[in-house]
Amino acid sequence: MKQNDKKSAEDIIKYVGGIENISSLTHCVTRLRFVLKDMPKISQKNIENIPVVMKALETSGQYQVVIGPRVTDIYELIMGEIGNEPLESDVTENNEKIVDKIMSTISAIFTPYINILAAAGC
């Protein structure tokens, strides 16, 4: 891990509205995937100015922060800050079941690769 990763992780937490605004956090190959309690607390401009952040966007009920190949390092640092306990129960605030959330996340992970597969003729 690089020295600045800890500062970047702290800044990401701060600019998504703090620990108390995070319902859950997962990651895929390149992105942190936050489910936040209050989206207006996000400081979009500040997040996009963090050196490790390539892009940040809201999609499919998640706030996604694109980090790239170092996403696992940043994820582990954030989880160290917020604690390793689950951040939400089996049912979210809007009664969405955890299975639905998992399927939605899996779908969001593979969606960017559809164009590549189509272009490759697979």
Side-chain angles (χ1 to χ4, degrees):
M1 278 185 241
K2 292 189 176 184
Q3 185 100 2
N4 294 335
D5 285 354
K6 183 166 176 54
K7 171 92 169 94
S8 296
E10 290 169 353
D11 286 346
I12 290 170
I13 293 169
K14 177 179 168 183
Y15 296 134
V16 297
I19 293 170
E20 62 281 351
N21 196 36
I22 302 171
S23 290
S24 68
L25 172 62
T26 58
H27 73 91
C28 65
V29 177
T30 60
R31 299 172 184 216
L32 295 172
R33 297 173 179 274
F34 290 92
V35 175
L36 301 173
K37 296 175 185 171
D38 191 7
M39 290 289 194
K41 288 186 177 181
I42 297 167
S43 179
Q44 182 74 21
K45 185 175 181 178
N46 287 329
I47 289 175
E48 290 179 343
N49 286 331
I50 298 171
V52 298
V53 175
M54 296 177 185
K55 185 178 181 181
L57 60 137
E58 182 182 346
T59 182
S60 302
Q62 297 179 336
Y63 187 69
Q64 300 181 8
V65 180
V66 182
I67 303 290
R70 291 186 15 230
V71 70
T72 303
D73 295 337
I74 301 296
Y75 171 80
E76 289 173 0
L77 287 167
I78 291 174
M79 290 307 289
E81 289 290 319
I82 62 178
N84 289 326
E85 301 111 34
L87 296 171
E88 62 180 20
S89 65
D90 287 345
V91 178
T92 62
E93 290 176 15
N94 62 357
N95 292 327
E96 181 181 17
K97 293 183 180 177
I98 193 72
V99 175
D100 294 335
K101 287 182 56 96
I102 291 169
M103 293 306 292
S104 175
T105 301
I106 290 171
S107 174
I109 290 169
F110 289 105
T111 299
Y113 299 107
I114 292 172
N115 292 336
I116 296 169
L117 292 172
C122 294

